[in-house]
């Protein structure tokens, strides 16, 4: 046996899960308010399959008005930070985000707000 050590073959298989986030609610509709008044709603961001800490960034839409001015009437605030953290039980902690709207000009629009992690997902 010393001249011919045994060879072992090991077969490994696995499944790779891509990190993702879900939103509750998945669609937000803010109520009309008088000019320069703020309306706001809270959403839950539910991270899934993040194996390490990541930080969310937000891209808000800019709107072009009829006179050519560009404004960003939306705001986003995270009440307890915007870091996705892996808890001791292997799950990711839910994040709470407040989306607000205020404008000095009358407008109505439908746009996407993008939440992006550190790996541009």
């Amino acid at each position: 046996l010393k001249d011919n050590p045994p060879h072992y073959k090991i077969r490994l298989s696995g499944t790779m899960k891509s990190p993702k986030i879900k939103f509750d609610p998945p669609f937000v509709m803010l109520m009309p308010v008088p000019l320069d008044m703020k309306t706001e709603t809270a959403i839950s961001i539910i991270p899934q399959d993040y194996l390490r800490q990541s930080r969310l960034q937000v891209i808000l839409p800019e709107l072009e008005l009829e006179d050519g001015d560009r404004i960003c009437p939306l705001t986003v605030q995270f009440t307890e930070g915007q870091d996705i953290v892996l808890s001791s039980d292997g799950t990711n902690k839910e994040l709470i985000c407040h989306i607000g709207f205020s404008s000095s000009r009358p407008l109505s629009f439908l746009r996407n707000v993008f939440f992006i992690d550190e790996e541009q997902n």
Side-chain angles (χ1 to χ4, degrees):
L1 282 178
K2 290 182 183 180
D3 293 334
N4 287 325
H7 289 69
Y8 294 97
K9 198 182 248 187
I10 297 176
R11 173 182 261 177
L12 301 174
S13 65
T15 304
M16 177 65 176
K17 291 185 176 183
S18 295
K20 58 186 170 254
I21 55 176
K22 292 187 177 188
F23 299 92
D24 184 29
F27 177 81
V28 173
M29 184 173 182
L30 297 171
M31 292 296 116
V33 291
L35 296 179
D36 291 321
M37 295 295 294
K38 186 173 186 177
T39 183
E40 186 176 83
T41 191
I43 62 169
S44 295
I45 299 173
I46 306 153
Q48 296 177 326
D49 300 324
Y50 278 84
L51 300 177
R52 59 190 158 115
Q53 183 171 322
S54 188
R55 187 170 182 82
L56 288 182
Q57 299 296 320
V58 181
I59 299 176
L60 296 173
E62 250 191 15
L63 303 174
E64 185 171 349
L65 303 176
E66 291 177 3
D67 63 3
D69 285 350
R70 297 184 73 78
I71 63 168
C72 185
L74 297 176
T75 59
V76 171
Q77 292 182 323
F78 291 87
T79 55
E80 297 174 16
Q82 55 200 82
D83 291 329
I84 296 172
V85 178
L86 185 64
S87 64
S88 59
D89 66 356
T91 60
N92 299 121
K93 183 180 174 190
E94 181 177 293
L95 303 172
I96 303 298
C97 172
H98 292 267
I99 298 178
F101 167 84
S102 179
S103 177
S104 60
R105 313 257 297 266
L107 58 99
S108 176
F109 63 93
L110 176 65
R111 294 288 191 282
N112 291 320
V113 174
F114 293 99
F115 293 82
I116 301 171
D117 66 20
E118 291 175 343
E119 296 186 14
Q120 303 302 308
N121 295 315

